[in-house]
Amino acid sequence: NALKDHQLTSDENHLIFSENQTDQVKNIADYYLGLNNRPDGIFAINDAFAIEMVYHLRREKIRIPEDIAIVGFNNELVSEFVDPPLTSVDSPANQLGEEAARLLLRHINDGELKPTVKVLKSKLVIRKSSLKKGI
């Protein structure tokens, strides 16, 4: 929706679905580097993937963020201390756990599981890994 809202298109070749295993990151980096139309940014499933992606791309002389910007998810403490510092989505993990526990207790006490939608606010913590000059 964000792409549509800004009249942008996406390239389906840029979307990769993977297991949450860091041993796949090098293969994904190699895949992106082999594309004729490389992405200008990568949003990783978590900060560990993003940091490893930075490592593999830099080994191939890709400049972060000038050539490819990187964004992670979780806002792990290490994200602030890597080079370049990693932009990351700060997800309210404690609040998520509390809400999950409330739902579980309600399920145990009521004997039935009622579908529930709860939206928790996240925030984007912008650091150098996504700051491209001129944008």
Side-chain angles (χ1 to χ4, degrees), residues 17-101:
F17 299 94
S18 70
E19 300 290 323
N20 189 6
Q21 299 171 355
T22 59
D23 63 348
Q24 297 177 354
V25 178
K26 182 181 183 325
N27 293 337
I28 294 169
D30 290 343
Y31 169 79
Y32 283 138
L33 293 173
L35 293 174
N36 290 329
N37 181 23
R38 290 182 183 167
D40 66 349
I42 296 172
F43 179 54
I45 190 170
N46 57 40
D47 289 350
F49 266 56
I51 292 166
E52 188 173 347
M53 182 64 68
V54 168
Y55 170 79
H56 289 297
L57 293 176
R58 283 181 137 182
R59 287 187 68 189
E60 298 299 324
K61 307 297 186 231
I62 301 298
R63 298 170 303 151
I64 310 299
E66 294 84 0
D67 299 327
I68 298 178
I70 306 286
V71 176
F73 189 90
N74 287 346
N75 196 31
E76 299 290 337
L77 180 62
V78 69
S79 301
E80 188 174 346
F81 301 105
V82 296
D83 182 32
L86 182 67
T87 294
S88 186
V89 175
D90 190 7
S91 172
N94 289 341
Q95 188 180 1
L96 181 63
E98 290 171 6
E99 291 298 328

Side-chain angles (χ1 to χ4, degrees), residues 112-128:
E112 65 179 274
L113 184 60
K114 299 174 187 172
T116 303
V117 175
K118 180 83 177 188
V119 177
L120 304 178
K121 293 199 181 236
S122 296
K123 69 179 180 178
L124 182 63
V125 179
I126 300 172
R127 297 189 183 102
K128 290 184 181 179

